[in-house]
Amino acid sequence: MTAITRGDTPAAVEGDGVELRTQPVGVAFVRLPAGADLRPALQGMPDDLCLCPHWGYMLKGRLKMVTKDGEEVYEAGQAFHWPPGHAPVALEDCEYVDFSPTAEFTAVLDHITSRS
């Protein structure tokens, strides 16, 4: 088991009041500007959707999650679980923290970054 505390986590970005701390253990701190649509980045994956499950908390904004079965909107203050088979679209500037299985998340990130 792993426990992460702020004090044990190195700063990746720091200055002018900005601080971002990360650890490579399946934790992602995500910011998306209004209008960001990740569906094109997921093209080529099965059903053109993210195959990694995520659990997390919306800190700011509103996000539409598109699935084969429809859409659902998440907003600041909500905890969430997104099972495999989704693609996010930011309705507003949004921020969230999510927790994901490292291997599955890495595979999705590798797919996305190989497309650029």
Side-chain angles (χ1 to χ4, degrees):
M1 291 193 293
T2 301
I4 300 172
T5 67
R6 183 182 168 280
D8 294 335
T9 304
V13 177
E14 192 170 32
D16 295 328
V18 174
E19 181 180 275
L20 176 90
R21 297 178 176 268
T22 62
Q23 288 280 3
V25 291
V27 177
F29 298 89
V30 182
R31 288 183 178 167
L32 297 173
D37 183 345
L38 297 186
R39 290 176 291 184
L42 295 167
Q43 288 180 346
M45 298 198 78
D47 296 321
D48 297 329
L49 299 169
C50 178
L51 298 180
C52 180
H54 308 276
W55 295 262
Y57 186 77
M58 292 291 299
L59 300 167
K60 174 184 172 184
R62 293 176 57 240
L63 181 76
K64 175 174 67 176
M65 196 57 72
V66 179
T67 71
K68 290 188 310 183
D69 300 322
E71 303 172 348
E72 191 162 341
V73 175
Y74 299 86
E75 59 188 43
Q78 292 181 319
F80 60 79
H81 170 245
W82 299 327
H86 59 270
V89 178
L91 301 175
E92 301 173 356
D93 289 349
C94 59
E95 296 180 27
Y96 58 91
V97 176
D98 79 38
F99 305 88
S100 310
T102 302
E104 289 93 329
F105 194 50
T106 299
V108 172
L109 290 176
D110 288 348
H111 173 81
I112 290 171
T113 58
S114 73
R115 297 179 55 82
S116 53

